[in-house]
Amino acid sequence: VYKYIRKSKAERSFNYATRLLENDIQTPEPIAYIEIDEKGLLSHSYYISIHEPVDGTIRDIYSNPVNESKDLLRAFTVFTAELHNRGIFHKDYSPGNILYKKDGDKYRFYLVDLNRIEFKRINILKGCKNFCRIPIDKNMLENIVKEYAAMRKYNKSICEKLINYYNQSFWKKHLY
């Protein structure tokens, strides 16, 4: 399939990284991708990027002090809304795939694991569903909804119900 029908994960990662950077979304700088064929079929592919030193991943919202976690969560939510406003949808938007650097009191975010990104208009359903892989509690949900709904100009109550529904559905499916 990856030889004749679909681009390899490595090639998609390379192309999407280039496109993200063109849209002013940070990701480690792409260098190349390599595809190795055996007997006329793709056997291995590798995506190569510059190593980007970062301060952490979104997983840190669970272990940082409360005030720092709240600031990180707010900045992450604003970043997510900006992605969606630009028509960028990461299908594997999980805590380990969102890196950050802290610059004073500001955060800069970097996306990784790029082979499953879509570039298209993102409606309220798709946007709210994108938070499903981020384990969130009630307090985090309130903070996410407040920022996300405001930035996307969505009804806060509808956003809250959707994000909560998608999040609970995802974790029930993956934990039980």
Side-chain angles (χ1 to χ4, degrees):
V1 170
Y2 290 114
K3 179 68 178 172
Y4 298 105
I5 298 172
R6 189 171 183 192
K7 293 179 181 180
S8 71
K9 290 180 178 183
E11 183 178 354
R12 283 181 291 160
S13 293
F14 179 86
N15 292 339
Y16 295 160
T18 301
R19 195 159 171 194
L20 287 173
L21 292 171
E22 288 169 355
N23 281 283
D24 294 321
I25 302 298
Q26 298 298 306
T27 189
E29 184 182 343
I31 301 299
Y33 66 93
I34 299 168
E35 296 177 338
I36 300 171
D37 293 350
E38 289 181 14
K39 299 179 184 177
L41 299 175
L42 180 67
S43 66
H44 295 86
S45 65
Y46 302 94
Y47 168 62
I48 304 164
S49 69
I50 294 289
H51 171 73
E52 187 70 47
V54 296
D55 294 324
T57 70
I58 289 302
R59 282 188 186 110
D60 294 344
I61 60 176
Y62 309 107
S63 59
N64 284 349
V66 173
N67 285 344
E68 192 175 326
S69 289
K70 190 173 180 180
D71 291 343
L72 178 57
L73 181 63
R74 181 187 176 286
F76 159 70
T77 304
V78 168
F79 171 74
T80 303
E82 288 173 0
L83 280 180
H84 293 169
N85 284 338
R86 294 176 189 200
I88 299 167
F89 185 81
H90 195 310
K91 289 181 171 182
D92 190 6
Y93 204 56
S94 57
N97 291 338
I98 307 151
L99 316 177
Y100 72 89
K101 283 185 189 180
K102 191 165 185 188
D103 186 14
D105 61 347
K106 304 260 188 224
Y107 291 92
R108 286 186 299 165
F109 294 93
Y110 295 76
L111 295 178
V112 296
D113 199 359
L114 306 177
N115 69 82
R116 295 180 13 172
I117 289 184
E118 292 178 349
F119 296 88
K120 65 181 187 179
R121 188 174 180 280
I122 297 162
N123 63 25
I124 189 171
L125 297 174
K126 194 114 175 144
C128 290
K129 189 173 186 176
N130 214 190
F131 290 98
C132 74
R133 293 173 181 253
I134 310 294
I136 54 178
D137 61 27
K138 185 173 174 50
N139 187 41
M140 291 170 70
L141 175 64
E142 289 173 10
N143 289 316
I144 288 171
V145 167
K146 178 182 170 188
E147 293 297 330
Y148 188 75
M151 290 211 50
R152 298 278 292 169
K153 297 179 177 42
Y154 290 151
N155 177 288
K156 206 171 138 182
S157 176
I158 293 171
C159 258
E160 182 174 10
K161 288 175 184 165
L162 288 170
I163 291 171
N164 191 47
Y165 170 77
Y166 289 130
N167 195 268
Q168 286 186 8
S169 296
F170 178 85
W171 289 105
K172 278 181 187 174
K173 179 180 175 184
H174 288 85
L175 294 177
Y176 302 109

